[in-house]
Amino acid sequence: QVQLVESGGGLVQPGGSLRLSCAASGSILSINAVDWYRQAPGKERELVAGITSGGDTKYADSVKGRFTISRDNAKNTVYLQMNSLKPEDTAAYYCKAHILSLGISGPRNYWGQGTQVTVSS
C-alpha cells in the first residue's frame, strides 16, 4: 500500500508564502516524477509544477518565478514553496507521484487527497 499525504495549505494574504508538502509512505521501492496540480472551483485541474527523479523541474507559466518545487528523497517528500501568492492561486492543491512499490508490477500513479490554499485579504 502506498499513501500520499499533502499538508501545508491554509489561508494567507496576497503577497504571502506557503510551503506545501507531499509525503509518500508505504512499501515504496522508488519514486519517479512527482507533480503538483491545483483545481479551483468551477475550473479544470491544472498542472502547477513537476520534478523528475533526477531533479529536473517544470512550471506552469502562471507560477514561474514565484513557486519552487523540490524533493527530499531520503524523506520521500516533495515540497512546493509558494511565494508572492495571488488570489488567483486559490485552489485545492494535489500531488501526483509515479511510484514503484512492492507487490505491484510496474510503477503507477498515486494521488493525494489535496490541501486547500486560500489567498485572500
Side-chain angles (χ1 to χ4, degrees):
Q1 289 280 359
V2 172
Q3 280 192 318
L4 288 182
V5 178
E6 299 103 331
S7 61
L11 173 64
V12 64
Q13 292 187 342
S17 298
L18 285 173
R19 188 177 81 155
L20 306 184
S21 299
C22 171
S25 62
S27 304
I28 296 169
L29 295 175
S30 63
I31 301 176
N32 303 319
V34 179
D35 298 318
W36 281 98
Y37 287 78
R38 66 186 180 188
Q39 187 167 22
K43 295 189 176 181
E44 293 188 354
R45 189 170 294 190
E46 63 173 350
L47 177 67
V48 175
I51 187 166
T52 67
S53 57
D56 292 330
T57 59
K58 60 182 177 183
Y59 298 94
D61 287 342
S62 59
V63 307
K64 280 181 182 176
R66 300 188 298 123
F67 291 11
T68 302
I69 189 170
S70 62
R71 62 192 292 163
D72 184 335
N73 292 329
K75 296 181 178 180
N76 287 340
T77 300
V78 170
Y79 304 98
L80 185 67
Q81 178 67 43
M82 306 186 297
N83 298 328
S84 303
L85 283 162
K86 305 175 181 180
E88 51 263 44
D89 294 318
T90 296
Y93 284 71
Y94 301 87
C95 65
K96 182 188 76 174
H98 198 229
I99 295 174
L100 178 64
S101 62
L102 284 172
I104 304 293
S105 59
R108 54 158 287 190
N109 286 323
Y110 294 85
W111 287 87
Q113 83 290 348
T115 185
Q116 179 67 35
V117 172
T118 302
V119 184
S120 175
S121 55

